[in-house]
Amino acid sequence: MLIHLLEAPLLEEPCGGDYAMVYSTFPVLKLLELEYLERFQGWEKTERTQGEHVLFPRLEKLSIQKCPELITLPEATGDHTAVRSAFPALKVLELEDLKSFQRWEAAKRTQGVIMFPHLLKLSLQKCPELIELPAAPLLENLCAGHFNMARSAFPALMVLELEDLKSFQKWQAGKVTQGEQIAFPRLEKLSIKTCPELTALPAGTFQGRSLGGNDMKEWSAFPELKELQLYDLKSFQCWGVTEATHGEQLTFPNLESVLLGECPRLTTLPEAPKLSVLDIKKGNKQMCQRIARYITSLTNLNLELKDTETALGEHSLLVVSKEDCKHKSPLVVMKLCCNMFFHSGALSMWTCFVQLQDLAIYNCKALVHWPEKEFQSLVTLSKLKIKGCSSLTGYAQTPEPSTTESCQLLPRLGSLEIENCKNLVAVFDVPASLKKMDISVCAKLEYIFGKQQGKSELHQGSCGDDRSLPCLEKLCIDGCASLSGVFILPASLKEIYIHRCSNIQVLSCQLDGLQTLEVTASTSVSLMIRDCDSLSLVLNLPISLKKLDIRRCNRLISLESHLGDLSSLEELKVRCCRNVASLPDGPQGPQYTSLRWLEIRYCPGIKTLPGWVQQQLGSLQEKDLDACYEGPRLLKPNTWKYAISRD
């Protein structure tokens, strides 16, 4: 069982740099991974005399995982008046699941500090005893730029990941002298998750004083940071530890993307003039005042707030000035899980969203009727998803059918998804551009394309009073028990999935030119129907039908194809349909010339298969049939009973 590394010989010719009296077992090692070493405790077996240290002169990546007794990294070496390092060439350091790890070097020093001069990525996870990062030296001339009064143990670091560090509190060991601040001059990505004791980011470097300028208001510990993630930080409350003292706002001059989640004490957003992506999960209403200022600059917004019910009447939280409304927002993707965007005080903000393409609305109790006024500005929206909006019912009043594109809501909408809106009765008047519709778990839904039609049919007709859906290719309806009557499916559909719609009685495919056109891959149709208890007839199956899958429709009596031609059908599956008496068949010509997969199970009403199907049983690639359809097999006497008529 490994407890220490091997005895390290003295380097007679150190590998670059001033490393007098340095020992190394691995003078040319570039990668070192230590995993699952339960007894591993130290880096050398015997104690060295003063000035002698273990060194990894060429090591570029060090990964240590699940070594529960390891307390510290190896002793550093070098000039104790400036900078020293046991890893002068290290670029990647990963420490994970080290239960005892708590120090960055074996002995506490009274002078000199440890440093990772070339480290690019540092990842620390599940180190419950670690309280702080290593002590940092004054950068002076060690880092390009004017960081004379800044301290950093990681002058080259670009990625820093801190996760599940229960005791982590400080950004460096020891105290920082007044006028000196901690800096990460090259850091581009910072991720901090589940660090319950951390209260703030490090105090920034005053750019006016430390960087040689005259502006004393802007300061930043992360001048190059582009991506920031803060998640599950119970004590985190401000963007810089001296924020309250100095009064200046900590700035992130190059920050582009921010993810904030489960930070209950944080009430502000960072000062980031280049911010384009903002993702807030379980934020609080105090952040609302900060969100509006970024609306005209963001390209992606994901907003999930808690305790927003009391904010519904506080219109000032999201009021945008008329001057701001003159500037069109570059926002392209927006996900809202909050109420504050759907009150009169926020209406002016929607006029900025003329470039919005993808909108998702989740669990919004303030959404009672279709937001027609808000949607009027969304002329480029191509994808809309509504989920868990339990108060949504439909239109506030019956609208007049739109006859022109100028009055049509969402004229470029291509995809519509509605899920788990339990009180929704009618979908809004969808545009002709729609290609995909997916509606699930809307138990009260009665009308698919607007209540003003007075019918629940999916219908393609001429422009005017009838709805025209020439582009609709995919339709999925699941768990909509109030949809009833006859459904006429548009001929443009290529994929149809109907599940748990217990009141649909008749399903019919529209008869049009596709019934006579030559079938190609682009016109093939897939039809799946499951658990529709009232469905009795499926009519006019198109010649372009490629896959037919029907299950658990016990009132279904008949499947009929137009002219009896299903020459394109490749997969036919009928299961658990007690009353189906026969499969589609035609009076002449082969009907199933493309069939390769056949499944007929638990359908006692089907006594025999069509003749053309029986002729192809031997050539099928896959089949799953009740034994009665294949006849008795002489070598399997147990199947003979299926050949005996019991009528």
Side-chain angles (χ1 to χ4, degrees):
M1 185 174 293
L2 182 63
I3 299 178
H4 302 279
L5 294 182
L6 299 176
E7 189 74 15
L10 181 66
L11 292 181
E12 296 181 359
E13 295 181 3
C15 303
D18 183 14
Y19 298 114
M21 299 300 293
V22 167
Y23 287 78
S24 179
T25 307
F26 312 102
V28 295
L29 186 67
K30 290 189 176 183
L31 172 63
L32 177 59
E33 296 180 350
L34 305 175
E35 298 182 11
Y36 299 98
L37 302 177
E38 296 183 359
R39 299 292 303 277
F40 182 72
Q41 301 175 0
W43 300 89
E44 51 188 332
K45 186 175 182 180
T46 59
E47 295 185 1
R48 302 288 176 188
T49 60
Q50 187 173 6
E52 298 178 350
H53 303 283
V54 175
L55 178 70
F56 296 85
R58 293 286 183 264
L59 193 66
E60 295 184 357
K61 180 178 180 179
L62 173 60
S63 177
I64 309 175
Q65 300 181 27
K66 299 185 183 300
C67 298
E69 295 192 13
L70 183 64
I71 298 177
T72 179
L73 291 180
E75 194 71 35
T77 187
D79 184 355
H80 285 252
T81 62
V83 176
R84 66 184 193 273
S85 178
F87 307 101
L90 194 65
K91 295 181 179 179
V92 178
L93 175 59
E94 299 173 346
L95 305 179
E96 180 179 351
D97 202 0
L98 307 181
K99 296 181 179 180
S100 301
F101 184 78
Q102 54 188 275
R103 298 200 306 269
W104 293 92
E105 57 180 333
K108 293 184 178 180
R109 299 280 176 173
T110 57
Q111 49 179 286
V113 289
I114 191 172
M115 190 175 180
F116 297 87
H118 299 292
L119 193 67
L120 300 178
K121 178 181 179 181
L122 173 60
S123 177
L124 305 175
Q125 300 182 36
K126 298 181 180 180
C127 300
E129 299 297 321
L130 185 64
I131 298 177
E132 57 198 10
L133 293 181
L138 278 173
L139 289 175
E140 297 180 338
N141 296 322
L142 296 174
C143 184
H146 303 285
F147 291 92
N148 296 333
M149 298 299 293
R151 291 183 174 271
S152 181
F154 310 101
L157 193 67
M158 300 183 71
V159 178
L160 175 58
E161 299 173 349
L162 308 176
E163 183 173 353
D164 199 5
L165 306 178
K166 295 181 179 180
S167 302
F168 183 76
Q169 305 174 21
K170 300 170 60 178
W171 291 95
Q172 80 146 20
K175 296 183 179 180
V176 178
T177 305
Q178 186 175 5
E180 300 173 352
Q181 305 292 345
I182 298 299
F184 295 82
R186 298 292 175 260
L187 193 68
E188 295 185 359
K189 179 178 179 181
L190 173 60
S191 175
I192 310 175
K193 301 178 181 179
T194 317
C195 297
E197 299 297 322
L198 186 65
T199 61
L201 295 179
T205 300
F206 284 95
Q207 293 181 352
R209 180 181 303 166
S210 302
L211 304 184
N214 296 319
D215 187 358
M216 296 295 296
K217 295 182 179 180
E218 295 185 0
W219 53 294
S220 179
F222 306 96
E224 300 297 327
L225 191 66
K226 295 181 179 180
E227 182 177 347
L228 173 63
Q229 298 181 4
L230 303 179
Y231 198 86
D232 191 19
L233 306 181
K234 304 301 183 184
S235 302
F236 191 87
Q237 55 186 311
C238 65
W239 299 100
V241 294
T242 59
E243 210 172 343
T245 303
H246 294 286
E248 293 88 357
Q249 173 66 44
L250 177 64
T251 61
F252 299 82
N254 291 296
L255 188 61
E256 299 174 356
S257 176
V258 172
L259 168 63
L260 304 176
E262 297 282 5
C263 301
R265 301 185 65 181
L266 184 64
T267 60
T268 62
L269 295 176
E271 187 74 19
K274 295 184 180 180
L275 188 66
S276 61
V277 178
L278 179 59
D279 189 343
I280 300 178
K281 300 183 185 298
K282 295 189 178 181
N284 49 59
K285 63 183 181 181
Q286 288 84 352
M287 288 184 177
C288 297
Q289 297 173 336
R290 300 282 183 167
I291 293 173
R293 63 186 298 184
Y294 291 113
I295 285 296
T296 56
S297 62
L298 293 174
T299 59
N300 292 64
L301 173 62
N302 185 353
L303 185 58
E304 177 184 342
L305 299 184
K306 61 182 179 180
D307 299 329
T308 55
E309 295 304 314
T310 58
L312 289 177
E314 300 175 17
H315 296 179
S316 61
L317 290 178
L318 269 182
V319 171
V320 181
S321 66
K322 293 183 179 180
E323 185 65 28
D324 288 335
C325 290
K326 294 180 181 179
H327 304 286
K328 303 306 180 183
S329 170
L331 196 66
V332 175
V333 179
M334 181 163 66
K335 178 179 177 181
L336 302 176
C337 185
C338 59
N339 294 317
M340 66 186 201
F341 274 71
F342 298 98
H343 58 72
S344 57
L347 183 60
S348 60
M349 185 180 301
W350 288 87
T351 62
C352 301
F353 300 152
V354 294
Q355 298 185 47
L356 191 64
Q357 298 179 19
D358 188 340
L359 173 62
I361 305 173
Y362 287 70
N363 303 323
C364 179
K365 294 182 180 180
L367 189 63
V368 178
H369 303 294
W370 289 115
E372 298 178 74
K373 293 181 179 179
E374 289 83 353
F375 281 0
Q376 285 177 357
S377 301
L378 308 185
V379 294
T380 61
L381 193 72
S382 61
K383 183 177 181 181
L384 174 63
K385 183 172 184 178
I386 312 278
K387 180 178 180 181
C389 297
S390 57
S391 301
L392 180 63
T393 59
Y395 282 110
Q397 57 184 1
T398 302
E400 294 295 329
S402 58
T403 57
T404 63
E405 184 174 333
S406 61
C407 60
Q408 171 67 61
L409 287 182
L410 312 179
R412 298 185 183 180
L413 189 66
S415 174
L416 174 63
E417 297 181 44
I418 304 175
E419 180 181 349
N420 196 25
C421 297
K422 61 183 182 181
N423 289 308
L424 181 64
V425 176
V427 178
F428 66 92
D429 216 4
V430 297
S433 58
L434 195 67
K435 293 183 178 181
K436 174 187 175 183
M437 175 180 281
D438 189 339
I439 304 177
S440 61
V441 199
C442 297
K444 295 184 179 181
L445 185 65
E446 299 178 9
Y447 306 97
I448 295 293
F449 296 110
K451 192 172 181 178
Q452 75 278 9
Q453 296 181 62
K455 56 185 179 180
S456 59
E457 297 156 6
L458 307 184
H459 184 75
Q460 177 181 351
S462 60
C463 296
D465 292 338
D466 292 330
R467 298 305 306 147
S468 178
L469 295 171
C471 301
L472 190 62
E473 297 180 351
K474 182 176 181 179
L475 174 66
C476 300
I477 306 176
D478 182 7
C480 299
S482 296
L483 287 174
S484 61
V486 178
F487 268 67
I488 301 176
L489 302 174
S492 58
L493 284 170
K494 297 179 182 179
E495 186 175 346
I496 309 158
Y497 179 70
I498 300 178
H499 185 199
R500 298 184 300 172
C501 296
S502 55
N503 283 318
I504 295 178
Q505 299 170 7
V506 178
L507 191 65
S508 178
C509 296
Q510 177 109 9
L511 301 180
D512 76 337
L514 281 182
Q515 300 292 350
T516 57
L517 289 176
E518 180 181 356
V519 177
T520 65
S522 62
T523 59
S524 62
V525 177
S526 175
L527 173 59
M528 290 171 279
I529 308 172
R530 299 183 181 182
D531 299 291
C532 295
D533 297 335
S534 299
L535 184 65
S536 59
L537 296 175
V538 177
L539 304 176
N540 299 320
L541 296 174
I543 62 173
S544 54
L545 189 64
K546 187 174 183 179
K547 178 179 179 179
L548 177 61
D549 188 340
I550 302 179
R551 306 188 184 197
R552 297 180 295 278
C553 298
N554 285 321
R555 293 190 182 182
L556 184 63
I557 299 173
S558 176
L559 300 169
E560 299 180 10
S561 64
H562 181 60
L563 301 178
D565 189 353
L566 291 174
S567 56
S568 298
L569 190 64
E570 296 183 1
E571 298 183 23
L572 174 58
K573 301 177 183 180
V574 184
R575 179 185 283 265
C576 300
C577 298
R578 292 196 305 261
N579 292 315
V580 173
S582 64
L583 298 178
D585 198 5
Q588 58 184 351
Q591 305 303 305
Y592 298 92
T593 54
S594 300
L595 194 66
R596 60 180 180 82
W597 189 323
L598 179 63
E599 179 182 326
I600 308 293
R601 298 298 304 273
Y602 312 114
C603 300
I606 300 178
K607 304 303 181 182
T608 60
L609 299 178
W612 302 112
V613 175
Q614 294 182 18
Q615 294 178 10
Q616 293 182 245
L617 289 181
S619 60
L620 295 177
Q621 296 178 11
E622 298 284 346
K623 61 181 178 179
D624 185 6
L625 305 174
D626 287 333
C628 60
Y629 303 127
E630 298 193 76
R633 303 171 188 173
L634 296 179
L635 296 180
K636 297 182 178 181
N638 289 335
T639 67
W640 293 357
K641 61 182 179 181
Y642 294 105
I644 302 175
S645 175
R646 300 182 183 275
D647 294 339

